[in-house]
Amino acid sequence: MDVLHWDGTLSAKDFKIGAFAFAQKWESHNSGFPPWSWVLCPKHPWLASPEEEGYLSLEKICISRPNEEDIDQISQIDTGEEETSCPGNEDVIDDATLVQSGHHELHYCDFHIVYSSTFRVPVLYFRAYCSDGSPFPLDEIEKQLPACSANELSKSKWTFITQEEHPYLKRPWYKLHPCGTAEWMKLLFLSDAAKPKFDVVLELYLLSWFSVVGQVFGLRIPFKISN
Amino acid sequence: MAAESPSSVRKVVVHLRATGDAPILKQAKFKIPGTDKFAKVIDFLRRQLHRDALFVYVNSAFSPNPDELVIDLYNNFGFDGKLVVNYACSMAWG
């Protein structure tokens, strides 16, 4: 595949390869989060060799902003990672060690990375809910986001969010609209003077993609992941 | 003993590079304290270009979180004594 003429998209097969590469790197370098898991969805399970489709899933991520009392507790927790977080940034929290005071309602988010065969790119689907499982609507989610994300969300046209049926689970989820993805993926990879080979592009595709879409939720991936 | 370590006053040379059909800035190179967040660079770009929606990224096909420190970005993505920050304007979305 000639990268110079690449249109920024992936085939379904390449998406799967890229998804596995991403999940692997994430697990090795992003210990602040649980790993992504691949959920298999055979397209025609009645066939002898069903087409294997699937998506990446990361669930029950706490997206609540800590309140003032909790901030003192957080600063005492040593996560033991060499994260380059700036002081005062409580957005990246290992929720396994976070101690929350009882009256602060926690909200969680499930993220699914699903391949769109129409746009030929990954799409981020998400849904948010309270600790009792009741759904948490989008305008409430926005209030939970880190300030610069919430700002981005209101200003930035590219984080266009729509609600639609999850392609596999058939329930309403939100998604970040993918129509511009191919274009900015092309820019990400082709702006360097040294054009990468396609297998490098594939290896890094989901990572680069996530560095962009993850910002909507303040989900940060460490730099060394792309080395 | 020095009150501040040398790295806290170290400035990073940032080179803003237009990509796609983004306008090229007259003044594209400047210095910024390493301890500043990347958000400052993004805000600077927004003001210079009079646009809110910008796509900003560094080499290695990575779009840094605005909370990242410029010095950290320089250490990871800088070369030749500078940090190249690419920008593009909003494309056709939706």
Side-chain angles (χ1 to χ4, degrees), chain A residues 84-87 89 91 146 148 152 155-158 160 177-181 183-185 187-193 204 207-209 211-212 214-215 218-227, chain B residues 17-21 35 37-39 42-43 46 52-69 71-77 79 86-94:
Chain A
T84 53
S85 13
C86 38
N89 177 13
D91 294 333
C148 52
E152 283 291 332
K155 285 186 200 176
S156 182
K157 297 178 193 68
W158 59 267
F160 191 66
H177 207 278
C179 61
T181 301
E183 262 202 75
W184 48 259
M185 285 306 302
L187 276 181
L188 276 172
F189 281 101
L190 299 186
S191 293
D192 277 355
L204 297 178
L207 215 55
S208 299
W209 172 83
S211 76
V212 178
Q215 284 181 42
L219 296 176
R220 201 151 109 186
I221 45 180
F223 313 134
K224 45 179 148 49
I225 207 173
S226 60
N227 288 345
Chain B
R17 199 169 146 246
T19 61
D21 49 13
T35 46
K37 291 194 190 181
F38 189 58
I42 301 175
D43 285 341
R46 284 206 175 114
D52 269 348
L54 274 184
F55 183 56
V56 185
Y57 58 106
V58 293
N59 58 21
S60 307
F62 194 81
S63 183
N65 189 292
D67 276 338
E68 301 292 1
L69 294 184
I71 187 66
D72 293 332
L73 293 177
Y74 172 75
N75 287 335
N76 273 275
F77 300 105
F79 67 95
N86 302 302
Y87 62 93
C89 295
S90 56
M91 296 143 270
W93 302 104

Side-chain angles (χ1 to χ4, degrees), chain A residues 23-36:
Chain A
Q24 205 171 44
K25 288 194 196 324
W26 177 282
E27 185 158 14
S28 321
H29 294 106
N30 212 7
S31 50
F33 287 93
W36 290 85

Side-chain angles (χ1 to χ4, degrees), chain A residues 129-148:
Chain A
Y129 46 95
C130 307
S131 41
D132 63 358
S134 55
F136 197 53
L138 185 60
D139 50 359
E140 291 296 321
I141 298 174
E142 280 182 33
K143 293 179 196 161
Q144 294 285 323
L145 297 178
C148 52

